[in-house]
Coordinates of all heavy atoms in Angstrom, one line a residue:
G19 N 88.2 172.3 79.9 CA 88.7 171.6 81.1 C 88.1 172.1 82.4 O 87.7 171.3 83.3
C30 N 90.3 186.0 84.7 CA 91.3 186.7 83.8 C 91.9 185.8 82.8 O 91.7 184.5 82.9 CB 92.4 187.3 84.7 SG 93.3 186.0 85.6
S31 N 92.7 186.3 82.0 CA 93.6 185.5 81.1 C 94.9 185.5 81.7 O 95.1 186.0 82.8 CB 93.6 186.1 79.7 OG 94.3 185.1 78.9
S118 N 114.4 171.6 95.5 CA 113.3 172.6 95.8 C 113.7 173.7 96.7 O 113.3 174.9 96.5 CB 112.2 171.7 96.6 OG 112.7 171.1 97.8
A156 N 110.2 179.6 105.4 CA 109.3 180.5 106.3 C 108.3 181.1 105.4 O 107.2 181.5 105.9 CB 110.1 181.5 107.0
D183 N 104.3 147.9 90.7 CA 104.0 149.1 90.0 C 105.1 150.1 89.9 O 105.2 150.9 89.1 CB 102.7 150.0 90.5 CG 103.0 150.4 91.9 OD1 104.1 150.5 92.4 OD2 102.0 150.7 92.7
I264 N 110.1 163.2 108.5 CA 110.4 164.4 109.3 C 109.7 165.6 108.9 O 109.4 166.5 109.6 CB 112.0 164.6 109.2 CG1 112.3 165.6 110.4 CG2 112.3 165.3 107.9 CD1 113.9 165.7 110.5
D267 N 106.7 166.1 111.0 CA 107.1 166.6 112.3 C 107.4 168.1 112.2 O 107.2 168.8 113.3 CB 108.4 165.9 112.9 CG 108.1 164.4 113.1 OD1 107.0 164.0 113.4 OD2 109.1 163.6 112.8
I271 N 102.3 174.7 108.3 CA 101.4 175.5 107.5 C 100.2 174.8 107.3 O 100.0 173.6 107.6 CB 102.1 175.7 106.1 CG1 102.4 174.4 105.5 CG2 103.3 176.6 106.2 CD1 103.0 174.5 104.0
Y367 N 83.4 136.1 113.6 CA 84.2 135.1 113.7 C 84.3 134.3 112.5 O 83.2 134.0 111.8 CB 83.8 134.2 114.9 CG 84.0 134.9 116.2 CD1 82.9 135.6 116.7 CD2 85.1 135.0 117.0 CE1 82.9 136.3 117.9 CE2 85.2 135.6 118.2 CZ 84.0 136.3 118.7 OH 84.1 136.9 119.8
P397 N 95.4 136.3 91.1 CA 95.5 137.7 90.5 C 95.0 138.8 91.4 O 94.3 138.7 92.3 CB 94.6 137.4 89.3 CG 93.5 136.5 89.9 CD 94.3 135.5 90.8
S405 N 97.2 151.1 88.2 CA 96.7 151.2 86.9 C 95.3 150.6 86.7 O 94.5 151.0 86.0 CB 97.6 150.6 85.8 OG 97.8 149.3 86.0
G408 N 90.4 150.3 91.8 CA 89.2 150.8 91.9 C 88.1 149.8 92.5 O 88.5 148.7 92.9
D493 N 92.4 152.0 106.0 CA 91.3 152.7 106.4 C 90.1 152.6 105.3 O 90.4 152.5 104.1 CB 91.5 154.2 106.4 CG 92.5 154.6 107.6 OD1 93.7 154.3 107.5 OD2 92.0 155.2 108.5

Side-chain angles (χ1 to χ4, degrees):
C30 62
S31 188
S118 61
D183 61 20
I264 197 169
D267 296 325
I271 60 174
Y367 297 94
S405 62
D493 289 76

